[in-house]
Amino acid sequence: MDAEKRKRYEAIAAEVVRLAGGRDNILGVAHCATRLRLVLEDNDLADLKAMEEVDLVKGVFVAGDQLQIIFGAGLVNDVCQVLADSIHMDSMSLGDLKTKANKRMNPLQRAVKALSDVFIEIMPGILAAALLTGLSSVLGNLEFVENSPTLYGISTLINIASGAIFGFLPLCVAYSTVKRFGGRPIMGLVMGCIMLSGSLTDAYAAAQGTAEVTILHIFGLPVELVGFQGGIIVALLIGVVTAKLDIFFEKKVPEVVRLLVSPLLTTLTSSFLLFLIIGPVGRGLASGITAVLVWMTQNLGAFGYAAFSGVQQLIVITGLHHVFGAIESQLLVDTGRNFLNPLMSVAMTAQGGAVLGYLARNFKDARAKELCIPSFVSVLFGITEPALFGVNLRYRYPIIGGCIGGAIGGLVVYLTDLAALGFGTTVVPGIALADPANNGYVNYIIAHVIALAAGFLFAFLVGMVFDRKRQAAVGDGAAAGMTGTAAGAGSTNRAAVGAETANKGAAETAADSKASAVAAPAAEEIGAYANGQFAGIETVSDPTFAQKILGEGTAIVPADNRVYAPADAVVEMIADTKHAVTLRTSAGHGILIHVGIDTVKLEGRCFTLHVKEGQRVKKGDCILEADFAQIAAAGYDTVVCLIFAELAGGAGVKLEKAGKVSVGDPIAVIGG
């Protein structure tokens, strides 16, 4: 690396460190084929928008527990090394970086983070179910819908769709949990199917005492054959166990019988643990919490009401809130009035208010609107999972504001002696169940408006407290980071150097392009680099590629395990994790071949290289093999992307092919 380049990269590194919250906020540094990856003490201290304006940065985002800064193939290697040198920190492997990210959090933070990761994966399905449930509830209460065969049929189908999604939610959670903890997602689906098997008594019917439960005796222990409908916590626990067992057996079982024996042992062991330990423990814990909360409302007066509605939505996280149906039924039989229904309803409304509080603090963020608005709409129909898992738990302070708002709403319910004459619907549709005695309808509206306003207000205020702490930390961290960066790089004014060299860098880039091409290159044909189905780069699931942040590209869904050189070229760079190769063609164009999406997490497993850096290859030479069956089984997209990352002489790209392709088929022409 020459002196001018290093100065430019040092200026970039200084800006990245400053905008990341300072040296003290950076816990780990690594890179993949195109992105610089940082683990931060607090991601909220990073100024992502300002970082997008840093020299040579093509995009910035936070994924999971890492801040990812897109530089592009080749360049990211140098920037990462300069940044690591400047803050006196060794560049890590991606595996070590992940371990570092986990260590920075305490057990509670890790649990909340894992919970958030699991539900973000399945959030689109939860949102769809919530909105369909709300629509079904509205249509079901309209007389003209019942009188029209077509509208009634549509309403029935909507009801079936929404009920099916929520009915199989534990299966989705088990799938997402196994994937989150490194197992093969299909094993999560298998365990989800077992949890909801038709051979088991329905959990809701068992809770209400309307179905007989079969009991087995295994090793002297009674085992109830009851399904796990609504058993979110059980699904989470068995998902973690299944993932760990799957990883263990995949390592220990000999390869010759692994495909048959490993999944068998994982499924069998997980099933026994589900029915003998995890299921009973999860149910017992949730039932105990439920019993305590009900006792509080019956024996502690106003405090009991406030406490119940304050934390009731936390029970929804466990999935055991369906137990309340049996309790509500008994209340109606014994007293004719159901005081739990309005308490749960105001608790839901307060969480909706917290969503609006978060939205108000982030109103300019398009992503916040995209998530918060449908989440709040679903709350209006009594479905809070999208709000809880998609917003409030994810960003921490809204859940606090929502619980406080719920407690205040519960106090209003107690003071107005509000109750319901049935159960099953809440929030907006729930007004139909309100006991009209003592101005019940008016009090229902008042209690919900107060809960909504309180949830909004306290989420907003708690968010302000969080921001003050972050701003204080930003000041301290930035000062420390600038000092550390200056010392590490041996310069007292790195920003000035960056400004001074920016124009030189631009000229240098142009000069490099000219030097590599010598003159404006002639047309160069790019051939198919795999057998399979050709697709537009816009269709891939990685936004960096789909949005063409790194340049124009193509994608092929492979039909076999080999990836080939698309043109005569020199191998410039091979990722440590073997999933990406950069080539420099004869005409001087830089091409990135990226195998799979997020396959960097496999850390080289499933890949076999047939080339090395500096090697010359001919068009059609095999450059690597990938076990796409194993990659798919691990839950990763197998699409192979080719990115035209650096075109010499300002050349353009014309795509030539669509549909099925074989190796060497012309798929693009550069220049000419």
Side-chain angles (χ1 to χ4, degrees):
M1 187 189 308
D2 61 41
E4 289 298 322
K5 277 188 177 181
R6 186 168 185 88
K7 286 182 180 180
R8 187 179 189 188
Y9 297 161
E10 286 175 346
I12 292 171
E15 280 295 281
V16 168
V17 171
R18 180 179 69 83
L19 295 172
R23 164 66 180 82
D24 290 345
N25 195 42
I26 299 176
L27 300 181
V29 181
H31 71 85
C32 60
T34 59
R35 306 167 196 181
L36 176 67
R37 296 169 179 250
L38 305 179
V39 171
L40 306 183
E41 180 73 33
D42 186 349
N43 289 335
D44 292 330
L45 299 183
D47 189 341
L48 304 188
K49 291 183 179 179
M51 202 174 287
E52 289 179 346
E53 304 302 320
V54 172
D55 185 24
L56 298 182
V57 170
K58 297 180 174 67
V60 180
F61 60 94
V62 174
D65 49 14
Q66 297 174 13
L67 171 65
Q68 300 187 18
I69 307 169
I70 304 170
F71 283 101
L75 173 62
V76 70
N77 303 51
D78 294 336
V79 172
C80 180
Q81 189 57 55
V82 170
L83 186 146
D85 291 344
S86 73
I87 60 177
H88 304 297
M89 182 180 290
D90 292 335
S91 180
M92 300 176 171
S93 70
L94 290 167
D96 290 340
L97 191 74
K98 185 176 180 180
T99 301
K100 188 75 172 178
N102 289 334
K103 287 182 177 179
R104 74 180 179 140
M105 296 182 286
N106 61 43
L108 179 60
Q109 288 175 322
R110 283 198 292 270
V112 172
K113 171 68 168 58
L115 191 68
S116 176
D117 290 345
V118 167
F119 283 94
I120 287 301
E121 176 80 9
I122 59 177
M123 186 52 59
I126 296 177
L127 275 170
L131 296 177
L132 286 172
T133 299
L135 181 59
S136 175
S137 178
V138 170
L139 293 176
N141 290 324
L142 299 176
E143 186 175 348
F144 71 85
V145 171
E146 293 186 0
N147 294 332
S148 168
T150 298
L151 293 178
Y152 179 77
I154 292 173
S155 175
T156 301
L157 291 178
I158 291 173
N159 186 50
I160 291 172
S162 63
I165 296 172
F166 274 120
F168 286 89
L169 187 57
L171 183 148
C172 300
V173 172
Y175 155 82
S176 186
T177 304
V178 171
K179 183 177 179 181
R180 164 63 176 78
F181 285 93
R184 290 173 291 180
I186 185 62
M187 302 310 297
L189 292 177
V190 168
M191 292 311 302
C193 291
I194 293 171
M195 291 176 66
L196 303 174
S197 170
S199 300
L200 303 173
T201 303
D202 182 89
Y204 298 104
Q208 296 175 8
T210 59
E212 183 178 349
V213 177
T214 302
I215 299 178
L216 302 179
H217 295 276
I218 301 176
F219 303 126
L221 298 174
V223 177
E224 294 185 343
L225 297 184
V226 178
F228 295 91
Q229 288 81 5
I232 304 303
I233 287 296
V234 176
L236 285 166
L237 293 175
I238 198 60
V240 174
V241 170
T242 301
K244 300 303 181 185
L245 287 172
D246 188 42
I247 294 170
F248 174 79
F249 288 126
E250 279 291 291
K251 290 181 178 178
K252 298 299 182 181
V253 175
E255 186 173 357
V256 66
V257 293
R258 184 178 298 157
L259 183 61
L260 292 175
V261 176
S262 175
L264 169 65
L265 292 176
T266 298
T267 303
L268 188 61
T269 307
S270 297
S271 298
F272 272 94
L273 291 174
L274 172 65
F275 288 103
L276 291 173
I277 299 175
I278 293 174
V281 169
R283 282 178 172 145
L285 178 62
S287 296
I289 295 172
T290 300
V292 169
L293 291 175
V294 173
W295 179 87
M296 289 171 61
T297 59
Q298 294 176 332
N299 295 277
L300 299 181
F303 174 79
Y305 272 61
F308 179 89
S309 57
V311 301
Q312 185 271 339
Q313 279 296 286
L314 301 182
I315 299 299
V316 174
I317 298 170
T318 72
L320 266 293
H321 52 294
H322 66 267
V323 175
F324 291 132
I327 300 171
E328 290 179 280
S329 299
Q330 193 62 48
L331 282 173
L332 289 168
V333 171
D334 294 343
T335 68
R337 301 177 85 237
N338 173 14
F339 64 88
L340 288 182
N341 180 272
L343 285 178
M344 292 187 288
S345 188
V346 294
M348 295 174 181
T349 304
Q351 294 297 333
V355 169
L356 296 181
Y358 174 81
L359 178 60
R361 295 189 55 76
N362 300 273
F363 195 73
K364 294 182 180 180
D365 187 340
R367 292 182 181 177
K369 294 179 183 177
E370 182 181 344
L371 188 59
C372 290
I373 293 174
S375 295
F376 175 72
V377 171
S378 70
V379 169
L380 296 179
F381 297 103
I383 307 296
T384 54
E385 283 86 351
L388 286 173
F389 298 120
V391 181
N392 296 357
L393 271 174
R394 185 180 183 185
Y395 299 107
R396 292 176 291 178
Y397 70 81
I399 193 73
I400 299 173
C403 288
I404 296 173
I408 293 173
L411 186 60
V412 176
V413 170
Y414 176 81
L415 295 175
T416 58
D417 192 26
L418 185 61
L421 299 178
F423 68 94
T425 58
T426 48
V427 195
V428 173
I431 193 171
L433 301 180
D435 185 351
N438 302 317
N439 297 315
Y441 295 131
V442 174
N443 290 334
Y444 187 93
I445 295 172
I446 291 173
H448 284 73
V449 169
I450 291 175
L452 180 73
F456 174 91
L457 177 63
F458 282 100
F460 197 93
L461 294 176
V462 174
M464 291 177 62
V465 174
F466 272 55
D467 279 353
R468 287 197 191 100
K469 291 182 179 179
R470 284 197 294 267
Q471 289 168 3
V474 167
D476 294 341
M482 290 177 72
T483 302
T485 303
S491 171
T492 58
N493 194 348
R494 200 58 53 76
V497 172
E500 181 181 329
T501 59
N503 292 331
K504 292 181 181 179
E508 170 196 291
T509 300
D512 286 347
S513 296
K514 290 178 182 178
S516 63
V518 180
E524 185 172 47
E525 183 181 89
I526 302 299
Y529 45 93
N531 297 310
Q533 190 70 26
F534 186 87
I537 194 67
E538 302 88 354
T539 64
V540 305
S541 58
D542 188 316
T544 301
F545 297 150
Q547 296 173 17
K548 303 181 182 180
I549 293 174
L550 296 175
E552 182 62 85
T554 67
I556 295 177
V557 179
D560 55 50
N561 287 345
R562 295 196 166 202
V563 178
Y564 302 85
D568 294 350
V570 175
V571 179
E572 281 199 335
M573 186 276 294
I574 299 174
D576 293 339
T577 47
K578 305 178 185 178
H579 74 293
V581 176
T582 300
L583 305 174
R584 180 70 59 179
T585 71
S586 299
H589 305 299
I591 292 176
L592 169 67
I593 295 180
H594 194 285
V595 183
I597 303 299
D598 282 339
T599 45
V600 64
K601 297 176 183 177
L602 292 171
E603 299 180 349
R605 298 190 304 277
C606 306
F607 296 98
T608 302
L609 291 171
H610 293 295
V611 295
K612 58 185 178 180
E613 292 181 356
Q615 178 177 336
R616 290 188 175 275
V617 294
K618 293 290 187 180
K619 182 178 180 180
D621 287 350
C622 179
I623 58 177
L624 65 84
E625 289 185 66
D627 189 336
F628 287 116
Q630 287 291 327
I631 293 171
Y636 297 100
D637 192 333
T638 59
V639 67
V640 183
C641 300
L642 184 151
I643 307 299
F644 301 98
E646 185 181 337
L647 299 178
V653 177
K654 179 182 178 182
L655 301 182
E656 297 284 339
K657 183 73 177 179
K660 188 176 182 180
V661 294
S662 298
V663 172
D665 287 351
I667 60 171
V669 174
I670 304 177

